[in-house]
Amino acid sequence: MRSLLSVPKLYDLAQFVMRGTKYRSRLTSQFIRASSGSRILDIGCGTGTILDSLPEVEYVGLDMSAAYVAAARKRYGTVENGAPRHRSQCTFHCLELTDKTVDPLGKFDIVLAMGVVHHLDDASAMNLFAYSRQALREGGRMITLDGVYTENQSRIVKSLLRADRGKFVREESAYRSLCSGSFTSVQTTIAHDLFRIPYTCLIMECFA
Ligand SMILES: C[S@@+](CC[C@H](N)C(=O)[O-])C[C@H]1O[C@@H](n2cnc3c(N)ncnc32)[C@H](O)[C@@H]1O
């Protein structure tokens, strides 16, 4: 199952089954709140499908999976004659955000890491928050979304969280402590109804 999800089309299908159609519009209107012209860095962009719900923005997607980046470029990148496939200006890179890769990307209004932090151990996650802070202009925001353990969660939700490909699903306090060294102001929301399946997500909005 895990290796099947590394195939972009199967990953997209699995996300559609889990999240349905309302997920992205709620995420973009309630949490991302991008304006036309916003500069957005999407870390762990996957196949880039968040673009379908964003206004006309300048979008930079990063992912370590070459297959996901290739699928994203095919769908949203610039075609050979220079014509855009999407209303936004989109570029995709197959790379990890590090102290060496962050500065050449420039400054952003919004940094996204959707479904990424629970794939990272504590040290890597803290680095991700530090580099994301570095990538933000003053007044910018980072938004993360991950599965979270809470009290009084049903057995089904707990089993689904345990079965996640990401091996570092945490409780809210643990996610908060990962970003507290880089962001002093963080707002969190726990959502039980963002996905079509029973699942609990933590959305963190970190203010630069
Ligand atoms: C669950 S997927 C989420 C994809 C997309 N953000 C979405 O919401 O559909 C997590 C993605 O993060 C990528 N990833 C994990 N660690 C990463 C890192 N350190 N830098 C960049 N991408 C990473 C994986 O390759 C994978 O595509």
Side-chain angles (χ1 to χ4, degrees):
M1 182 65 178
R2 282 159 202 258
S3 58
L4 283 179
L5 288 177
S6 62
V7 178
K9 282 203 166 109
L10 295 179
Y11 174 79
D12 285 345
L13 179 64
Q15 293 310 316
F16 177 70
V17 170
M18 273 179 68
R19 297 169 170 175
T21 48
K22 289 194 190 134
Y23 158 83
R24 273 202 314 255
S25 55
R26 189 169 156 204
L27 196 64
T28 46
S29 62
Q30 196 173 339
F31 299 103
I32 300 177
R33 303 191 305 276
S35 312
S36 179
S38 292
R39 204 158 185 259
I40 298 185
L41 174 63
D42 189 2
I43 304 166
C45 64
T47 54
T49 51
I50 192 77
L51 275 160
D52 291 335
S53 308
L54 291 173
E56 190 174 334
V57 295
E58 191 185 332
Y59 174 96
V60 178
L62 306 184
D63 205 286
M64 295 192 320
S65 157
Y68 288 169
V69 168
R73 277 194 189 125
K74 197 167 165 197
R75 197 180 311 170
Y76 303 105
T78 305
V79 290
E80 271 166 25
N81 66 6
R85 285 192 175 91
H86 190 265
R87 58 183 175 273
S88 293
Q89 186 192 323
C90 310
T91 50
F92 298 92
H93 306 278
C94 183
L95 58 79
E96 195 179 338
L97 198 65
T98 66
D99 55 345
K100 297 194 175 54
T101 58
V102 62
D103 286 337
L105 298 169
K107 295 288 180 195
F108 293 87
D109 302 296
I110 297 172
V111 172
L112 304 177
M114 299 290 149
V116 177
V117 179
H118 72 282
H119 286 271
L120 306 178
D121 63 26
D122 285 2
S124 306
M126 282 192 269
N127 281 337
L128 182 91
F129 282 109
Y131 302 141
S132 298
R133 172 66 187 85
Q134 203 174 321
L136 281 169
R137 66 162 178 77
E138 284 309 311
R141 291 176 298 125
M142 176 181 191
I143 297 115
T144 68
L145 178 145
D146 291 278
V148 64
Y149 291 118
T150 61
E151 282 176 15
N152 306 324
Q153 214 161 22
S154 75
R155 273 204 211 157
I156 298 177
V157 176
K158 278 206 191 321
S159 314
L160 288 170
L161 290 169
R162 272 197 294 268
D164 198 289
R165 280 192 299 168
K167 289 293 119 213
F168 301 94
V169 175
R170 301 166 170 94
E171 295 182 355
E172 178 184 357
S173 57
Y175 282 114
R176 264 184 176 275
S177 68
L178 295 171
C179 62
S180 60
S182 303
F183 293 92
T184 44
S185 174
V186 178
Q187 206 168 295
T188 56
T189 305
I190 289 187
H192 298 279
D193 57 352
L194 206 52
F195 288 4
R196 264 208 287 226
I197 59 165
Y199 210 76
T200 315
C201 297
L202 174 73
I203 300 105
M204 296 205 292
E205 215 175 323
C206 311
F207 299 88

